[in-house]
Structure formats: C-alpha cells, structure tokens
C-alpha cells in the first residue's frame, strides 16, 4: 500500500485554469473542491492498489463531467487547457498519495470532456 501521508500543495491544483479569465473563478473553485474531496477520500480509504485508486478517481471524474454543463452555461467549457490542467491535477493528487505509477489516462478514464 502506498504511503498515505499526502504532500499535496493545493496551490498547484488547476493553476492554469485559475490564471485564465476564460474559466469562471467560482467554477474553478468547485473543481478544486472535487480534487480536495478526492484527496481526502484517498487519505481516509487508503486504496491498496491502482484498481482501488481508479474507483475513487473515476468517481471524482464523474463530478467533473457534471460540472461541464455549468462551465458551458457560464460561457466557458472544459477544452484543451482545462483538460490538461484537470488531468494534471489528478496526477498531482495521486502522486501526493504515493501512486506515482498510476496511469495518467486511467485516472480520468470516465471523462466526457
């Protein structure tokens, strides 16, 4: 089992989206909340292996899928910059919890964006 002592620097989460006015601040904040809840779940549930981790990351990805409509309603969308930033943030969370061998694409395997 990976070391569960998370070393997560929250300022690194969705930093590209935070810096770009195309992405509404309140929706970027919701995205960060999803990622922080994911981190807390990993910390509390302590997945023993990658398949168990992916169950958690896929649930969080589904939350981002639901958030996509809110971005569109605000005149924005989860496009290339956002996809890369969100995917990178999932990687940051996974590695902070000791899952450096996680597959980048599988972390967000249920994405619709």
């Amino acid at each position: 089992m990976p070391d569960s002592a998370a070393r997560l620097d929250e300022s690194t989460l969705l930093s590209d989206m935070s810096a770009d006015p195309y992405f509404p601040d309140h929706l970027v904040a919701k995205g960060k909340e999803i990622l922080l809840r994911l981190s807390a779940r990993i910390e509390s549930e302590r997945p023993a292996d990658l398949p168990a981790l992916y169950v958690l990351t896929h649930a969080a990805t589904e939350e981002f899928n639901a958030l996509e409509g809110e971005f569109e309603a605000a005149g924005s969308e989860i496009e290339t910059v956002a996809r890369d930033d969100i995917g990178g943030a999932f990687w940051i969370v996974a590695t902070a919890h000791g899952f450096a061998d996680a597959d980048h694409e599988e972390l967000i395997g249920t994405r619709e964006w």
Side-chain angles (χ1 to χ4, degrees):
M1 174 178 7
D3 176 9
S4 64
R7 288 161 183 70
L8 182 62
D9 178 357
E10 294 178 25
S11 70
T12 63
L13 300 177
L14 307 182
S15 58
D16 291 340
M17 291 175 70
S18 294
D20 189 334
Y22 177 69
F23 305 106
D25 290 340
H26 72 285
L27 296 177
V28 175
K30 283 186 176 186
K32 285 183 181 182
E33 290 170 12
I34 292 168
L35 294 162
L36 293 174
R37 280 195 305 274
L38 170 61
S39 181
R41 280 192 73 189
I42 294 169
E43 184 70 26
S44 67
E45 296 182 25
R46 300 177 189 259
D49 55 21
L50 289 174
L53 173 69
Y54 296 146
V55 168
L56 301 181
T57 64
H58 291 173
T61 301
E62 294 294 332
E63 291 185 65
F64 271 100
N65 289 344
L67 194 57
E68 184 175 25
E70 291 185 52
F71 274 95
E72 290 171 359
S76 184
E77 65 179 309
I78 298 179
E79 43 71 79
T80 304
V81 170
R83 282 192 297 270
D84 290 347
D85 206 21
I86 295 165
F90 272 82
W91 175 250
I92 290 167
V93 171
T95 58
H97 290 280
F99 289 98
D101 56 343
D103 180 275
H104 286 82
E105 288 299 318
E106 187 57 33
L107 287 170
I108 53 174
T110 57
R111 72 181 172 156
E112 296 173 356
W113 24 270

